Amino acid sequence: MSELRGACLIGQSGGPTAVINASAYGVIKTALEQDCITKVLAAQHGIRGVLEDDIIDMGKEDEETLRLMMSTPASLIRSCRYKLKPYTEDDTDYKRILEIFKKYNVRYFFYNGGNDSMDTCNKISEYLKTQDYECRVMGIPKTIDNDLFDTDHCPGFGSAAKYIAVSTAEVVKDVHVYDKEAIVIIEAMGRHAGWLAGAACLAKLSCEGPMFIYLPEVDFDMDKFFADLEECRKHHKRIVIVMSEGIHDKDGKFISEYGINDTAIIDSFGHSQLGGLAATMAHIIRERTGAKVRGIELSLLQRCAGHAASKTDRDEAFLAGKVAVEAAVAGETGKMVAFERKNGENGYECVTKLVDLSEVANLEKCVPRDWINEEGNNVNEKFMDYILPLIQGEIEQTYENGMPKYAHLKRVKAEV
Amino acid sequence: MSELRGACLIGQSGGPTAVINASAYGVIKTALEQDCITKVLAAQHGIRGVLEDDIIDMGKEDEETLRLMMSTPASLIRSCRYKLKPYTEDDTDYKRILEIFKKYNVRYFFYNGGNDSMDTCNKISEYLKTQDYECRVMGIPKTIDNDLFDTDHCPGFGSAAKYIAVSTAEVVKDVHVYDKEAIVIIEAMGRHAGWLAGAACLAKLSCEGPMFIYLPEVDFDMDKFFADLEECRKHHKRIVIVMSEGIHDKDGKFISEYGINDTAIIDSFGHSQLGGLAATMAHIIRERTGAKVRGIELSLLQRCAGHAASKTDRDEAFLAGKVAVEAAVAGETGKMVAFERKNGENGYECVTKLVDLSEVANLEKCVPRDWINEEGNNVNEKFMDYILPLIQGEIEQTYENGMPKYAHLKRVKAEV
């Protein structure tokens, strides 16, 4: 493979995570060390930054700032949700991308995101080949949802999982201080895949753990739910239940859109927008049982809790970025860095592999049915065995004056 | 002062905090070291545990378990909300308390809680005097609300404040990744006092910080709010706003009870229960502006976030328990341990003092008006100066298998 000299360009895409900047740092640090890489550039707001020529020079940032990226949550180079049309239909965006790549002599392109972003990445890779413009294109996985195909798990998931598990444990501790009946519904993100809600099972390593966990992989049955709850209430006064936002009934209707008595009520005042799943379920349970019920939506808190990130997750996020650069320099293109799990003598080990971008684009990986109990109201030991290694270790967040110290970029415009 | 020999008894009362068990450990560890204290007992569920003779022997717990109390959130000895009637009206409970105290020869009683609990503590102290039963009664402050009178601040507040500040910073970081308009309303606890919402001001030490903070100390004016918001939207796309759950209009009506167009809508389906303040305000703003608005209620998460506790707060919580025992052994009774702030050569210093229980019982301390800006939509430098020392330092949470390791008590029944 002949050496390819030129600039590298990184973009972040889709929802932020607690460790997405660790991947960016993995790319930037490794790229700065390569002789064949002449400049390390970043496109602000992902592919939109390419289209709008909003490119900054990461080589102009201080070393300390770059290091702080390791513990700075949320997409520091900023993100977008932008879907490219197939270039066979409309190549306007692609022509512009090529123009900008040529302008800065971009020969290495790294795109960090979820399945939609891998689709973007794949399309750009394919298009550039048709134009005889040599550029190595690599995808770097990122999503708290953990739903990317062909990889054991995704950077970002372990930290969100740890936050959810720790927060659930703390809520369980809180709920148990009084002798009164209390039911708490915790809502985790996850529209189609239940990985995040399932993570709450880890709370039982610290204390009682949640009584039930509901994932979108199993149709939610309201009658079965209340039968389980009533049985549980006979033995327990304090009941914590965790649910994926995306749970739905057998007809595919989201439970978050249910009203009282299982009937959706969307009145002219638009009340149904008031609460999400947790608020809706809390309301339904309150109405049916008369019990004191509280709904807690973890909301954005679970996505960017840098202060509670998993060290394993952060180190693997860095690794994914590093390996992407090394592979591209070695001649690879059109690939995504993926993780494979080895259970060696020292237990869990994570190794990287490369998979074709076309194989992961747009696909979603759900929790296997046999990792959920038969009743469909909790995850089982298989899920627990899978997730436990991913939350190991705590990051050393840098604090200043008692508050997290984040990286602040100078964002120097790239020169041609 | 003659030496008083006998057992000591501790109870926890009111809402839990991240560091309430650090105060309990301060009492237990110090009491175990006193020659005059024959046994170290704890009443489960506070004063209810006394009435129901549910007393456990803390001397039977392992040393490691006791040490783990320092980083175990929520009331480990369990709590209650139980209001004693004045003994001049009905002395039934008091007679029972005296009976139990005599049964275990309780000569030192420590009660850890907020203003209601200090009232309980005060009444017991007064009653025992009328019965010529020598028992030294001490209150230990505890509340995330920080609304106790006659003390600079309360154990539990610094940790909740730190959690709110860090979480707000993380949400700000999250919201800024996209280029689209986004408004987020974060709801902090605080029915009458705005200390917790005010703590969000610290986020600006890490990043942009919230644009507005609303406290219940200033009447909330919906028209003024929208005027401020519209002005802000001219310059900012991403706007994070923090509000105390207890903000109300000039007529005292809670904003959380507002419906659309400033009219409370509580229909026959009880919809108004669906969301709290954050959901309600998000809905109102969405209706009026068409902007994308998200409401985040920090809920129980802010109360027991042991993993994100303030080291200063935890150390002071321990100190309060320790000083309570030392003072009681030295002959004090009918007092609450309070904090005084000294700003010496080395900056912030916290010293303890004793205040009469009767002076703190049932009173509420609010944020001074001149710590809030003139516009009434944020706190100012005075608030910042006050709160900054209280969130300093991070605790070393003990982790096992990637999850917090909490103290689990054996709860051995006390013997006579």
Side-chain angles (χ1 to χ4, degrees):
Chain A
M1 185 64 57
S2 67
E3 193 194 72
L4 179 64
R5 277 185 70 81
C8 92
L9 180 67
I10 177 174
Q12 296 177 324
S13 177
T17 80
V19 300
I20 185 170
N21 298 315
S23 287
Y25 181 58
V27 168
I28 294 162
K29 183 172 186 291
T30 313
L32 286 169
E33 292 161 1
Q34 309 301 316
D35 289 335
C36 60
I37 294 180
T38 51
K39 271 188 180 173
V40 179
L41 309 178
Q44 300 206 95
H45 295 295
I47 203 65
R48 270 193 45 207
V50 180
L51 298 170
E52 295 165 12
D53 196 0
D54 184 5
I55 312 283
I56 58 174
D57 189 340
M58 300 306 291
K60 305 284 195 218
E61 302 292 341
D62 305 331
E63 247 181 74
E64 202 217 330
T65 302
L66 294 180
R67 257 199 314 272
L68 274 176
M69 291 179 74
M70 281 297 273
S71 56
T72 300
S75 319
L76 205 52
I77 320 176
R78 297 174 185 157
S79 190
C80 69
R81 293 196 189 275
Y82 187 91
K83 199 144 175 88
L84 288 174
K85 289 179 194 140
Y87 57 86
T88 46
E89 267 175 39
D90 180 354
D91 64 357
T92 318
D93 281 348
Y94 296 88
K95 281 181 175 163
R96 175 68 176 157
I97 290 168
L98 181 57
E99 184 187 354
I100 295 294
F101 276 26
K102 283 181 175 168
K103 178 177 173 183
Y104 295 100
N105 190 33
V106 172
R107 297 293 174 173
Y108 297 91
F109 180 60
F110 303 98
Y111 211 46
N112 191 192
N115 24 38
D116 285 346
S117 312
M118 291 308 121
D119 177 60
T120 300
C121 201
N122 188 43
K123 283 171 175 161
I124 292 171
S125 174
E126 295 296 323
Y127 175 77
L128 293 176
K129 278 182 206 159
T130 69
Q131 301 298 306
D132 272 339
Y133 178 82
E134 195 178 1
C135 180
R136 305 206 179 127
V137 176
M138 297 290 288
I140 302 163
K142 174 275 337 166
T143 169
I144 62 164
D145 292 325
N146 202 40
D147 58 356
L148 266 167
F149 220 72
D150 237 356
T151 183
D152 180 75
H153 58 280
C154 303
F157 171 63
S159 294
K162 186 172 184 122
Y163 176 83
I164 290 167
V166 172
S167 296
T168 300
E170 289 172 346
V171 167
V172 167
K173 291 302 283 179
D174 185 297
V175 168
H176 276 75
V177 307
Y178 294 119
D179 198 24
K180 296 177 299 191
E181 175 165 39
I183 300 173
V184 175
I185 305 293
I186 298 178
E187 173 185 348
M189 284 182 174
R191 211 69 182 149
H192 305 291
W195 298 104
L196 289 169
C201 74
L202 294 164
K204 70 179 169 216
L205 297 180
S206 292
C207 51
E208 286 82 350
M211 292 293 177
F212 303 110
I213 302 178
Y214 293 93
L215 284 65
E217 281 80 355
V218 177
D219 292 340
F220 185 83
D221 180 326
M222 196 65 85
D223 292 331
K224 168 83 167 75
F225 169 77
F226 273 103
D228 289 346
L229 182 62
E230 285 314 314
E231 186 57 32
C232 187
R233 288 176 77 199
K234 288 179 192 162
H235 310 287
H236 301 279
K237 269 190 172 170
R238 282 74 49 108
I239 301 172
V240 174
I241 300 169
V242 181
M243 294 180 166
S244 285
E245 61 175 332
I247 57 165
H248 52 77
D249 63 23
K250 63 178 173 19
D251 302 319
K253 185 188 169 95
F254 288 119
I255 306 304
S256 57
E257 289 166 6
Y258 269 49
I260 304 141
N261 300 324
D262 304 2
T263 315
I265 295 170
I266 301 175
D267 63 24
S268 58
F269 300 108
H271 264 128
S272 71
Q273 286 180 53
L274 263 186
L277 173 68
T280 302
M281 279 305 299
H283 187 66
I284 293 173
I285 299 168
R286 214 181 280 128
E287 289 284 310
R288 282 228 199 162
T289 65
K292 194 183 164 193
V293 193
R294 193 189 275 265
I296 300 178
E297 187 185 346
L298 296 177
S299 191
L300 299 182
L301 302 166
Q302 71 200 288
R303 201 159 70 172
C304 282
H307 77 279
S310 150
K311 185 172 187 304
T312 297
D313 184 34
R314 193 194 53 175
D315 292 349
E316 291 177 354
F318 177 88
L319 177 71
K322 177 172 176 281
V323 166
V325 174
E326 289 168 350
V329 167
E332 296 284 354
T333 187
K335 301 276 168 57
M336 181 186 85
V337 175
F339 292 151
E340 208 169 343
R341 177 188 302 240
K342 301 269 187 216
N343 286 309
E345 275 178 28
N346 302 315
Y348 169 85
E349 200 190 323
C350 174
V351 296
T352 58
K353 62 177 182 178
L354 299 178
V355 297
D356 281 345
L357 278 171
S358 58
E359 280 175 24
V360 288
N362 295 320
L363 293 169
E364 275 183 334
K365 189 178 72 176
C366 289
V367 178
R369 182 59 185 88
D370 69 331
W371 292 13
I372 302 168
N373 68 4
E374 259 188 65
E375 298 245 47
N377 59 17
N378 216 326
V379 295
N380 62 25
E381 286 304 310
K382 287 181 185 167
F383 188 97
M384 188 84 156
D385 291 345
Y386 166 81
I387 201 172
L388 192 55
L390 313 182
I391 64 138
Q392 295 304 307
E394 294 73 49
I395 73 158
E396 314 84 51
Q397 168 96 57
T398 308
Y399 283 87
E400 195 171 61
N401 266 320
M403 287 293 291
K405 188 176 179 186
Y406 297 145
H408 293 283
L409 300 179
K410 287 187 277 192
R411 303 183 192 275
V412 179
K413 287 278 167 208
E415 285 174 17
V416 178
Chain B
M1 185 65 56
S2 65
E3 193 193 72
L4 179 63
R5 276 185 70 81
C8 92
L9 179 67
I10 177 175
Q12 296 177 324
S13 176
T17 81
V19 300
I20 186 169
N21 298 315
S23 286
Y25 181 57
V27 168
I28 294 162
K29 183 172 185 293
T30 313
L32 286 169
E33 292 161 1
Q34 309 300 316
D35 289 336
C36 61
I37 294 180
T38 51
K39 269 187 183 176
V40 180
L41 309 177
Q44 300 208 96
H45 295 295
I47 202 64
R48 270 194 43 207
V50 181
L51 297 170
E52 294 165 13
D53 196 0
D54 184 5
I55 312 283
I56 58 175
D57 189 338
M58 299 306 291
K60 304 282 195 219
E61 302 292 341
D62 304 330
E63 245 181 76
E64 202 217 331
T65 301
L66 294 179
R67 256 200 315 272
L68 274 176
M69 291 179 75
M70 281 296 273
S71 55
T72 301
S75 319
L76 205 52
I77 319 176
R78 298 174 184 157
S79 190
C80 70
R81 293 197 188 274
Y82 188 90
K83 198 144 176 88
L84 288 175
K85 289 181 195 140
Y87 58 86
T88 47
E89 267 175 39
D90 179 355
D91 64 357
T92 319
D93 282 348
Y94 297 89
K95 281 181 175 161
R96 174 69 176 156
I97 291 167
L98 181 57
E99 184 186 355
I100 296 295
F101 276 25
K102 283 181 175 166
K103 176 176 174 184
Y104 296 100
N105 190 31
V106 172
R107 296 293 174 174
Y108 296 93
F109 179 60
F110 303 98
Y111 211 46
N112 190 191
N115 23 42
D116 284 347
S117 312
M118 291 309 120
D119 176 60
T120 301
C121 201
N122 188 44
K123 283 170 174 160
I124 293 172
S125 173
E126 294 296 324
Y127 175 77
L128 293 176
K129 278 183 208 159
T130 68
Q131 301 298 307
D132 271 341
Y133 180 81
E134 195 178 359
C135 180
R136 305 210 179 124
V137 176
M138 298 290 287
I140 302 164
K142 175 278 330 167
T143 169
I144 62 164
D145 292 326
N146 202 39
D147 59 355
L148 266 166
F149 221 71
D150 237 356
T151 182
D152 179 74
H153 58 280
C154 304
F157 171 62
S159 293
K162 186 170 185 123
Y163 176 83
I164 290 167
V166 171
S167 296
T168 300
E170 290 173 344
V171 168
V172 168
K173 291 301 283 179
D174 186 296
V175 168
H176 276 74
V177 307
Y178 294 119
D179 198 24
K180 295 176 300 188
E181 176 165 39
I183 300 172
V184 176
I185 305 293
I186 299 178
E187 173 185 347
M189 284 181 172
R191 210 70 182 150
H192 305 292
W195 298 104
L196 289 170
C201 74
L202 294 164
K204 69 180 171 215
L205 296 179
S206 293
C207 53
E208 287 84 350
M211 292 291 175
F212 303 110
I213 302 178
Y214 294 94
L215 285 64
E217 282 80 355
V218 177
D219 292 341
F220 186 83
D221 179 326
M222 196 64 85
D223 293 331
K224 169 81 167 75
F225 169 77
F226 273 102
D228 288 347
L229 182 61
E230 285 314 313
E231 186 56 33
C232 186
R233 287 177 77 201
K234 289 179 190 162
H235 310 288
H236 301 278
K237 269 188 171 173
R238 282 73 50 107
I239 300 172
V240 174
I241 300 169
V242 181
M243 294 179 167
S244 285
E245 61 175 330
I247 58 166
H248 51 77
D249 63 23
K250 63 178 171 21
D251 302 320
K253 185 188 169 92
F254 288 119
I255 306 304
S256 57
E257 289 166 5
Y258 269 49
I260 304 141
N261 300 324
D262 304 2
T263 315
I265 296 171
I266 302 176
D267 62 24
S268 57
F269 299 107
H271 264 129
S272 72
Q273 288 180 52
L274 262 186
L277 173 68
T280 302
M281 279 305 299
H283 187 64
I284 293 173
I285 299 169
R286 213 181 282 128
E287 289 285 310
R288 281 227 200 163
T289 65
K292 194 184 164 193
V293 193
R294 192 190 276 265
I296 300 177
E297 187 185 346
L298 296 177
S299 192
L300 299 182
L301 301 167
Q302 71 201 287
R303 202 160 69 174
C304 283
H307 77 279
S310 150
K311 184 172 187 306
T312 297
D313 185 34
R314 192 195 53 175
D315 291 349
E316 291 177 355
F318 176 87
L319 178 71
K322 177 173 176 280
V323 166
V325 174
E326 289 168 350
V329 168
E332 296 284 354
T333 187
K335 300 277 168 54
M336 180 186 86
V337 176
F339 291 151
E340 208 170 341
R341 178 187 301 240
K342 300 268 187 217
N343 285 310
E345 275 177 30
N346 302 316
Y348 169 86
E349 204 189 322
C350 175
V351 296
T352 58
K353 60 178 183 179
L354 300 179
V355 297
D356 282 344
L357 278 171
S358 58
E359 279 174 27
V360 289
N362 296 320
L363 292 168
E364 275 183 334
K365 189 178 73 175
C366 289
V367 178
R369 181 59 186 86
D370 70 331
W371 292 14
I372 302 169
N373 69 2
E374 261 186 64
E375 298 246 47
N377 59 18
N378 216 325
V379 295
N380 61 24
E381 286 304 310
K382 287 181 185 168
F383 188 97
M384 188 84 158
D385 291 345
Y386 166 81
I387 200 172
L388 191 55
L390 313 182
I391 64 138
Q392 295 304 307
E394 295 73 47
I395 73 157
E396 313 86 51
Q397 169 96 57
T398 308
Y399 284 86
E400 196 172 59
N401 266 321
M403 288 293 291
K405 188 176 180 185
Y406 297 144
H408 294 282
L409 300 180
K410 287 186 277 191
R411 303 184 192 276
V412 179
K413 287 276 168 211
E415 286 173 16
V416 179

